[in-house]
Each structure stands twice: as C-alpha cells, then as structure tokens.
Amino acid sequence: MAVAASHAIEKDEVAVVGLGLPQVGALLAKLTHAPSAVLLLEIGVAESMPTESAMGIADPRLWRDARAFCGMIDVLGHLLHGGRVTLGILGALQVDVTGSINSTLVTQEDGTTRRFNGSSGANDIASLAGRVMVVMRHDPRKFKRQVDFLTSPGASVDGKPRRDSGLQGRGTSTIVTDRAVIAVGPEGLRLQSVHPGEDPERVAAETPVPLDLGGVTESAPPTREELALIREKLDPGRWYTA
Amino acid sequence: MPSKLVSLTDAVAGVEDGSHVALGGFAITRCVVAAVHELVRAEKRDLLVSQVVGGMDTDLLVGSGCVRKLVYSGGSLDRFGSLHAVNHATLSGALDVEEYSSLALTFRFHAAALGLPFLPTRSMLGSNLLEELVERDGDVRLERDPFTGQPVVVLAPLRPDVAFVHVDVADEDGYAVVSGPTWSIRETAMAARRTIVLAEKVVPAGTLPPNAVTILGPSVTAVVHAPFAAHPTAVVGHYDYDRAHLELYAAAAREGAEAYARYLDEYVRGVSSHEEYLERAGVVV
C-alpha cells in the first residue's frame, strides 16, 4: 500500500501529508523517484526526513532534518490556501463514491456512534489542494455510498462540480488501498490497478460500492530497494506497514 | 516596566469560572499540562476551552470536569490513543463540541489578533463541519464573495479571555521563543485578552536574539517559569515525550471513570504543585 501510494506521487509535487501510512508512502517517493518533491506537515514542518518510526505528526522524530519550521498559517494558509500545494495525502475512516472523506465519527450497526480524531487539517487539504490521494485499508466497511459524516469534500459536492461550491482544486483523484488503486472520476470509482496476487473481479465483489473494471491493470510490485527503505528506514517498527 | 514574572498559582487564580481559556498544545507536544493541573486543583468550572488541534492538555481538563464547551478541530494523542475523555464527554452529552478545520480555527484566532471583523476562507465548503457550524447561527456563515459572487465561508474572530501557551524561553517582558514548528501558537497567544506563557527558561529583558522571537512582549500578560511544564508531552530540544506516562494516561482514559479518577488523585489532585507532580512522575529536574 505504501509503495502504491509512493508510485502515485509525481516528481515535482508539493504535498501536504497526513499522519500514518501517508507519511511512509510520501517519504518513500522522496527517497526513490521523487527527490525534489516537497513534503509538508500541517504542524509547520517543511521537507523533514525522519530516521525512525514516529508516533504521529506531533512526534519530533518526524521533524528531523527539516528545511524549515513555521506555523500552520504558513503550511495550510500561505502554501495550501494560497494555491501552491499540488497534492494532499490523507487517511480515511470512510470514503464515498466521489472520494468524500469521513474522519470524524462512525455510526455503528446498533445505532450508537463512535468518535475518532476529526478533521484537523484534513478538511483544509481536501478543500484546497490541487488533488488528493486517500490511503486506507481495503476494508468493505470503509467504502460507502454516503459517508456517515462528510468531514472533507471529494471530487464533487451534492452531484455538482466542486467549483460551484467555491472549493479549490480537483478533490480526491485516487484511493490507494492494500489491494488496489482506485481512480475517482465524474462517473464514480474505477479500478485502475490491483496489486500483484489480487484478482480484479474478486476485489470488485468484495467492495460494496460500484467499481468500473474497464482497463484495469496490475500495480507495479515493490522493488527490493523500496522494501528495504520501508523496513530499515521509514517504518522499522512496522507500525504502519505489514 | 515591572517584570511580568508570576507564579503558576497566581497566573491561574485570575481565571474565572465560565471564562474562555485557550490552550497551546498539539496532540503530544508542548501541551500546557502544568497550567491544566493548576486549573483542576483550583476547581475551575464551566470553562469554554479552545485549541486548534486537541492534545493531552485539553483531554485532561475535559476529563477533570472543568469544561462545558470545547472549540477545536479534532485531535488525538497520536498513536498513544484518541482523546478518550473528550470523545466520551461528547457522546454522553456532557460536553458541547464545536468542530472546525485546523485552518478555519486558526483564521478565527488570527482575525481576533488582527482586530478584524471577520476572515473569509474556502475551507470547510460543502462539508458537514460547515453545515453544523452554520446551524449554530453564530460565528460562521456561508456568504457570497462581494467581488466574484462565489460562495465563501465567513469566520468571526475568536478572542479567548485567557491563553496558556508553552515556550522554550521568555524574557521578563514576555518576548518569547518557540523552536521547531509553531502550529497556531502565535495566533492563539496574540488573540487572547490575557496571555500567559509557560517558559522552560526565563532570561532578563532584552537579551533574546531578536530573530528568534515568536511571540511579542505586548501580547503577553504574564510569564511563568515552569521547567518541564509540558511533561509528559514532548518539547523539541528540551525533552522527549514520556512514553510510559502517556501510556498510563491513555490507559486510564480508555478504561473509564474509576481508573481516570485514580489517575487524577495520584498525579493532579493529590499533589500540591507542579514540582511535586514531577517528583511523583519520576522526572529528574
């Protein structure tokens, strides 16, 4: 999943990266095919390169070797709201068929509610970045026709183009999971590629929202170098990767 | 000018029940734990607490029953866990939660700091966050850009009565340095009517390197010299988070009322000062 996320990052990207697996994917891209990518943390860190697994955005281990420290108003304001961020990378509790993200609460089968971490900068990133990549486990409960709470808008809002709502950028363009890469388009979700060993029909059958299978390919497998970087440098504690 | 240096007890004594208190922490870093402990010991009630990204300081204050309303953009203890006390109080209805995106809430503090009537933003458009905020019919509105006619979110300024923020070093006039990332500490500190900085170190007036200053003296009401004020959360360049203590706290918060009350008795209510807390928590100062 981290490798597939890394492959979706272009070489001159300016990206705001959410906590957890998005970090591993983004840092892997920076260490391999996208050394000039600029990776930003909403807390106010530009282009850091951690040397050990970090507990999250607020763990100073994640800020090692930064090129600049600043504030939220710099990263989310001057760069993101100012239109200079090309990519946001976010986790999600749930996504819908437009790539809208829920990171706030889940309504359980018995009708009770469980609350999670909420938006923090995720809504800002989804509202304002050039495009957004969602990275999450391929759990059927996470794919919804309509999310339980719309924390961050996707590629369209109420069936209308984002621009009509006043939003900036394209919204969610890609959902990367541990089984597949899914493209978000005006007609809904399209299975772009499945990871080695996965069958497209089976992935579609086990995903409870419609997936277009036209033109599906196989994701590039992880290289030895990528695996070594993840295991030795980016996530030695195996907190985020298998 | 007389020195702004005061004791933690005196700084907290000026906080009135029912007032709006902003806290400067972020998840597990630079949380104003020493101030929160003192607020709990002083039995403050019905506080409105605001914090851009919720951290251990806010969770502790909510869990202690001092807070009636929370204005934030979500938060966590990173991988140590959720803000269990906040989430529990929200679901039980004991806590009124007003939830933003991080930038929108930072803009509200920024508007107050600048003395502006409002700030517009394109954040939160088309989201349930905006829908719930607009329904409150208060400080957030969906309007039209007067120049382009496009939809735009309009945010009222947010001015706390008191802000507590943690800094590396302050001089006696309140000029203060925050090293590493500063998230919304500047906006929070400069928005409040009264701002109290908790400083790891205090130096004589006028001796800080001018380029390093993060918070300006005229915005600061009082300076508290409080080494390890953020313990068990991390302060880059000074101390790491205390992993064992954060795990202990998160477990107590997850387990429920009894375990949480035992934690408070042991580390907050059962000690008389920040120094005694540090001793009990095994911190060698």
Side-chain angles (χ1 to χ4, degrees):
Chain A
M1 178 156 46
V3 172
S6 162
H7 291 170
I9 296 168
E10 314 269 344
K11 71 176 176 21
D12 290 322
E13 213 89 70
V14 178
V16 186
V17 188
L19 73 169
L21 205 75
Q23 289 296 331
V24 182
L27 291 165
L28 182 62
K30 175 110 179 150
L31 289 172
T32 53
H33 67 278
S36 58
V38 174
L39 306 181
L40 304 163
L41 304 178
E42 65 188 50
I43 196 168
V45 176
E47 302 199 53
S48 61
M49 184 50 74
T51 49
E52 53 186 310
S53 299
M55 293 298 277
I57 299 270
D59 185 339
R61 285 163 187 76
L62 199 62
W63 315 337
R64 290 270 160 80
D65 289 334
R67 294 185 66 181
F69 290 130
C70 54
M72 211 162 228
I73 210 153
D74 296 304
V75 172
L76 298 183
H78 297 134
L79 296 181
L80 178 69
H81 211 302
R84 295 179 192 277
V85 169
T86 59
L87 172 69
I89 312 176
L90 298 170
L93 290 171
Q94 299 175 334
V95 289
D96 72 9
V97 290
T98 71
S100 292
I101 299 167
N102 173 11
S103 45
T104 304
L105 57 85
V106 168
T107 309
Q108 302 182 108
E109 276 168 23
D110 62 5
T112 58
T113 300
R114 257 192 89 185
R115 290 183 64 89
F116 292 82
N117 297 347
S119 165
S120 298
N123 170 279
D124 303 306
I125 294 164
S127 300
L128 302 165
R131 70 182 210 283
V132 170
M133 168 164 46
V134 173
V135 185
M136 64 174 213
R137 274 184 306 109
H138 204 111
D139 178 337
R141 290 171 303 179
K142 293 168 81 78
F143 290 91
K144 310 289 273 189
R145 280 180 191 276
Q146 196 178 357
V147 288
D148 295 348
F149 186 96
L150 201 162
T151 312
S152 308
S156 62
V157 174
D158 293 332
K160 294 193 212 89
R162 276 167 65 93
R163 204 171 311 146
D164 293 2
S165 301
L167 291 160
Q168 178 171 299
R170 286 164 49 201
T172 306
S173 61
T174 312
I175 302 166
V176 175
T177 76
D178 48 342
R179 300 181 75 181
V181 177
I182 297 163
V184 182
E187 261 79 70
L189 304 182
R190 183 173 65 81
L191 200 57
Q192 186 176 307
S193 68
V194 292
H195 301 341
E198 293 284 354
D199 172 51
E201 303 281 348
R202 180 139 185 213
V203 170
E206 289 169 8
T207 307
V209 292
L211 282 182
D212 177 4
L213 296 189
V216 60
T217 60
E218 188 173 279
S219 317
T223 64
R224 197 181 298 247
E225 186 203 2
E226 285 167 334
L227 287 178
L229 282 168
I230 292 172
R231 289 183 184 152
E232 284 155 31
K233 188 172 166 83
L234 297 176
D235 190 25
R238 303 251 180 132
W239 293 352
Y240 304 104
T241 56
Chain B
M1 198 188 336
S3 160
K4 292 181 179 175
L5 208 54
V6 302
S7 73
L8 186 55
T9 314
D10 287 347
V12 164
V15 177
E16 286 175 31
D17 285 349
S19 62
H20 175 177
V21 180
L23 305 180
F26 185 122
I28 53 163
T29 187
R30 246 183 237 284
C31 289
V32 289
V33 175
V36 164
H37 284 178
E38 202 61 34
L39 288 164
V40 174
R41 281 193 289 269
E43 298 181 349
K44 301 296 178 190
R45 285 290 172 269
D46 297 324
L47 300 176
L48 189 167
V49 167
S50 59
Q51 181 168 48
V52 171
V53 175
M56 194 225 181
D57 39 6
T58 287
D59 201 58
L60 193 50
L61 198 53
V62 169
S64 303
C66 304
V67 184
R68 84 185 138 82
K69 179 174 175 181
L70 174 61
V71 175
Y72 79 150
S73 72
S76 73
L77 303 178
D78 276 349
R79 282 176 62 86
F80 289 103
S82 302
L83 300 181
H84 288 290
V86 167
N87 289 346
H88 180 75
T90 307
L91 290 173
S92 78
L95 181 71
D96 179 18
V97 166
E98 188 172 317
E99 210 166 329
Y100 292 79
S101 71
S102 291
L103 186 63
L105 190 47
T106 304
F107 272 10
R108 289 202 60 196
F109 285 130
H110 196 45
L114 291 171
L116 285 173
F118 60 83
L119 270 176
T121 180
R122 281 193 288 272
S123 275
M124 304 200 299
L125 285 161
S127 72
N128 287 150
L129 292 171
L130 180 64
E131 194 176 273
E132 291 192 353
L133 288 165
V134 168
E135 272 168 22
R136 283 177 177 263
D137 198 24
D139 301 318
V140 179
R141 290 165 63 161
L142 180 58
E143 295 286 346
R144 294 269 162 193
D145 178 333
F147 300 103
T148 66
Q150 281 283 300
V152 72
V153 176
V154 173
L155 303 160
L158 183 63
R159 185 176 294 286
D161 294 311
V162 189
F164 290 96
V165 300
H166 179 277
V167 303
D168 295 57
V169 49
D171 80 7
E172 290 167 333
D173 291 338
Y175 286 90
V177 176
V178 176
S179 14
T182 56
W183 51 100
S184 308
I185 292 175
R186 276 163 62 87
E187 289 74 22
T188 307
M190 297 204 262
R193 288 188 179 86
R194 295 173 54 229
T195 293
I196 294 153
V197 300
L198 307 186
E200 292 293 324
K201 192 177 166 199
V202 177
V203 297
T207 60
L208 290 173
N211 257 318
V213 170
T214 314
I215 301 169
L216 302 176
S219 310
V220 174
T221 315
V223 175
V224 176
H225 181 218
F228 288 91
H231 179 275
T233 67
V235 176
V236 67
H238 292 262
Y239 42 91
D240 197 2
Y241 47 76
D242 183 334
R243 178 180 293 274
H245 196 99
L246 274 172
E247 282 170 353
L248 181 85
Y249 174 81
R254 195 167 43 236
E255 211 178 303
E258 249 176 70
Y260 200 80
R262 275 201 303 277
Y263 176 90
L264 290 178
D265 285 345
E266 176 76 13
Y267 293 105
V268 187
R269 295 196 171 113
V271 298
S272 60
S273 66
H274 182 58
E275 290 71 26
E276 202 182 327
Y277 157 76
L278 291 176
E279 201 173 300
R280 195 164 287 192
V283 179
V284 181
V285 180

